[in-house]
Each structure stands twice: as C-alpha cells, then as structure tokens.
Amino acid sequence: QVQLVESGGGSVQAGGSLKLSCEPSQPLALTRDFCMGWFRQAPGKEREAVAAIDNHGVTSYADFVKDRFTISRDNIKNSLTLQMNDLRPEDTAKYYCAADWQLVCSVEPYGSALYGLGLVGWWGQGTQVTVSN
C-alpha cells in the first residue's frame, strides 16, 4: 500500500522558516496528470487546504499563506515540498501531504471541501508545525 511520508515539521519562533517534504513510499501508479498539495488541521478546527500544484507547475494558495509559503513538486519522484517563511502562531497545525485531488486543483473555492468529501486519493500521516511567539 502506497503511503505518503512527510518530514520537516518542528517548532520555530514567529518569523522563522520551515520546509516540509513529502515522498511516496513507492511509485504512485498514475499515468495521468494529478494534483498534489498540502492541508493543515489545528486542534478543534477543520482540515483546510493550504496549497496545491498540478503537473504543469500551476500553483494555488490559501489567502492566509500567500506570499509566505511556496509549494513545489518533482514530477519524476512525485515528491512535494512546502517552504514556509514568516511563520505565525496561527500557522500552528498538523500539516498533511495530499496526492490526487479529485475535480479541482485549487485551494479556492472548493479545495478544503475535498477532505470531507473523500475526494483525495492519498494522504500522509501528517507532520506537526508549532510556531511560538
């Protein structure tokens, strides 16, 4: 069974940076274009889409991370990264790698709904990001 494995989470002070990475445990058996991205979930809150990227490098970001986070992918390895700069305490959450978003490859307006609708092919286990003042 393919798993997505995230790394790079940790604790940082406000204003700091972290880089998250995600790789599949084995090659994804997909011969078509597919969308990858990141979600996050803070305690007591719903899982929300953060950033998405398609096979052509077209990206989409949530308003709350625009100009601070950068998503990128390697189409050969099907790996994903999220460079997070100028982190804020409100960015504290568990971050999840997600591959094969169905229907849309964008955060707005429906990206976050994909989780509740079961419209994402693969999920990682999540990596914790904690930002302190």
Side-chain angles (χ1 to χ4, degrees), residues 39-49 93-94 112-113 115-116:
F39 284 67
R40 72 184 188 185
Q41 189 166 15
K45 295 189 176 181
E46 294 186 351
R47 192 171 296 192
E48 58 185 358
K94 199 164 189 179
S112 292
Y115 170 66

Side-chain angles (χ1 to χ4, degrees), residues 19-34:
K19 185 175 184 178
L20 305 184
S21 298
C22 168
E23 287 193 2
S25 58
Q26 55 187 286
L28 300 178
L30 289 174
T31 57
R32 54 173 168 80
D33 289 353
F34 64 96

Side-chain angles (χ1 to χ4, degrees), residues 42-123:
K45 295 189 176 181
E46 294 186 351
R47 192 171 296 192
E48 58 185 358
V50 175
I53 184 168
D54 68 13
N55 283 78
H56 306 288
V58 177
T59 59
S60 172
Y61 295 93
D63 287 342
F64 51 79
V65 302
K66 276 180 182 174
D67 300 324
R68 299 189 298 125
F69 291 11
T70 302
I71 188 171
S72 60
R73 71 186 275 177
D74 181 326
N75 287 334
I76 302 298
K77 298 179 181 179
N78 287 328
S79 62
L80 195 65
T81 62
L82 186 69
Q83 177 67 47
M84 304 185 295
N85 298 327
D86 190 24
L87 283 161
R88 304 167 181 170
E90 53 264 39
D91 294 319
T92 295
K94 199 164 189 179
Y95 284 70
Y96 296 88
C97 178
D100 199 17
W101 299 24
Q102 311 293 314
L103 302 180
V104 295
C105 190
S106 64
V107 171
E108 302 293 345
Y110 304 116
S112 292
L114 299 182
Y115 170 66
L117 294 172
L119 294 176
V120 174
W122 289 279
W123 290 97

